[in-house]
Amino acid sequence: MVDGEFELIDRHFRALGAPRTDVVLGVGDDGAILRPPPAHDLIAVSDTLVEGVHFPVGSAPRSIGHRSLAVNLSDVAAMGATPAWALLSLTLPARDDRWLADFARGFATLASRHEVALVGGDTTRGPLAIGVQVLGFVPQGRGLRRTGGRPGDQIYVSGTPGDAAAGLEIVRDVSSARDATTRDATTRDATTCEFLRARFEYPTPRLTLGAALRDVASACIDVSDGLAGDVGKLAAASGCGARLDVERLRPSAALSRYASPERLRAWMLAGGDDYELVFTVSAANRSRFEQAAREFEWQQIGELVVEPGVTLCEHGRRIDLSAASFDHFG
Ligand code: ADP
Ligand code: MG
């Protein structure tokens, strides 16, 4: 506890998020008392955002508040679980009430949308960093894992990966000089930029999709570090490899207006921060999957294979991971 911390917590972080009857005791005591529902497994996730590492220095505080919770909710979604309670460990260089109010608003809006209650945390002084833990539930024994995929299972991704990487570039306002050659012949109007920017600053955790996949997907992971890499993690955890059919990747309309085909392909495959779900479905579950996921946006992008590692194919022909499009990532 630092000087004035109690008043700071009271002003910005008490009763934040959704009121829940399973919070027996929330912010204010040494610990929270929480009442998990019977016949459920508890799911626990944690993720930290550090200024200058996970978001650019000087980012909008409302976006930082949103993202610090969203990245955790995305992990909860990847487990097929429903979030309930959050803890917030805040390291602040100095007290700034306007910054805190905007940060709390970003956090609270997303928390309320998913009925998450903030039940405790910690506040310390130091370089700006936000650690969040979320607890949630899943019906006993039904949590999704990375490990259940088998060769032959089809690989899917929700939404349109790649947008957030473009959004981050826009946020950083990279000088147009550097990329002038690759950005030619693309329209970068304000609406396009706003859309892509929001995809980085205000990602949507795919919680309803994750829950719908519970008895349908063989494995699931969320895309935080880039599609190809995270597909590779799922495949490795499942004891197999993956083939990605890159011609299947459908960019968002905004991304195809914003970037050349080559750059957007690199972003779709290797850009981070999308917080979409990658999941696999066996042939036996395919029609159940299509039924369960009909109201969601997803694309089929490849297949789990026996040979370890991630192979990129274009119209059935193998292409090199270190192909030209990846040079953007140095
Ligand atoms: P302790 O001294 O027991 O570690 P603190 O004084 O750090 O407790 O915190 C007092 C109460 O405020 C606790 O209930 C704690 O969970 C809560 N709290 C502290 N910081 C935050 C925060 N950033 N967001 C939400 N709750 C917080
Ligand atoms: Mg204490």
Side-chain angles (χ1 to χ4, degrees):
M1 165 83 88
V2 294
D3 261 4
E5 184 199 331
F6 190 76
E7 194 270 325
L8 181 157
I9 296 162
D10 209 44
R11 179 176 325 180
H12 297 289
F13 299 112
R14 190 178 293 281
L16 187 149
R20 293 182 62 103
T21 54
D22 54 11
V23 178
V24 180
L25 185 63
V27 169
D29 212 302
D30 290 308
I33 303 180
L34 308 168
R35 194 159 288 165
H40 283 70
D41 290 331
L42 207 50
I43 302 292
V45 306
S46 176
D47 245 318
T48 300
L49 301 186
V50 177
E51 184 180 48
V53 179
H54 302 99
F55 56 87
V57 174
S59 288
R62 188 165 70 89
S63 162
I64 300 169
H66 177 103
R67 289 186 76 242
S68 67
L69 180 60
V71 300
N72 281 277
L73 295 182
S74 178
D75 282 330
V76 172
M79 302 303 292
T82 306
W85 309 306
L87 295 153
L88 169 63
S89 303
L90 207 49
T91 307
L92 299 167
R95 176 161 178 172
D96 174 344
D97 280 295
R98 248 182 71 186
W99 190 98
L100 281 164
D102 285 347
F103 171 88
R105 191 157 55 93
F107 191 101
T109 303
L110 185 62
S112 300
R113 192 177 303 154
H114 295 289
E115 292 178 62
V116 170
L118 182 65
V119 299
D122 190 28
T123 308
T124 50
R125 209 171 286 282
L128 182 61
I130 304 98
V132 172
Q133 293 77 44
V134 171
L135 296 165
F137 332 115
V138 68
Q140 234 165 58
R142 288 168 59 197
L144 283 172
R145 304 168 189 216
R146 298 178 180 185
T147 50
R150 294 295 171 261
D153 290 1
Q154 298 300 303
I155 305 171
Y156 300 83
V157 66
S158 63
T160 50
D163 294 347
L168 176 58
E169 177 180 274
I170 293 162
V171 170
R172 283 188 178 140
D173 196 21
V174 167
S175 73
S176 50
R178 199 195 82 179
D179 285 309
T181 49
T182 45
R183 286 186 189 176
D184 57 354
T186 57
T187 328
R188 285 152 62 240
D189 57 288
T191 318
T192 300
C193 290
E194 262 320 297
F195 172 88
L196 294 170
R197 186 182 172 143
R199 293 271 289 153
F200 173 78
E201 290 188 298
Y202 300 96
T204 306
R206 303 298 183 189
L207 284 156
T208 27
L209 173 62
L213 292 174
R214 216 141 53 200
D215 301 310
V216 178
S218 51
C220 188
I221 188 172
D222 73 319
V223 186
S224 49
D225 302 330
L227 181 61
D230 288 325
V231 164
K233 284 185 208 163
L234 180 150
S238 292
C240 53
R243 188 196 71 241
L244 290 181
D245 304 319
V246 298
E247 78 278 5
R248 288 175 177 271
L249 294 174
R250 268 185 290 105
S252 68
L255 187 60
S256 47
R257 282 196 299 274
Y258 181 80
S260 68
E262 209 178 77
R263 292 188 89 215
L264 71 83
R265 174 173 283 186
W267 271 332
M268 291 193 80
L269 284 168
D273 302 309
D274 287 308
Y275 301 102
E276 296 294 347
L277 296 182
V278 160
F279 51 96
T280 54
V281 178
S282 70
N285 273 341
R286 177 146 189 173
S287 58
R288 277 179 63 217
F289 157 67
E290 280 169 6
Q291 184 66 15
R294 66 190 180 285
E295 69 220 55
F296 302 101
E297 203 193 333
W298 46 265
Q299 30 187 318
Q300 190 191 332
I301 56 170
E303 188 177 306
L304 292 181
V305 297
V306 174
E307 185 197 348
V310 178
T311 309
L312 300 185
C313 282
E314 187 164 21
H315 301 294
R317 252 202 277 127
R318 205 173 165 136
I319 59 172
D320 194 353
L321 253 180
S322 61
S325 58
F326 277 85
D327 290 351
H328 296 288
F329 298 90

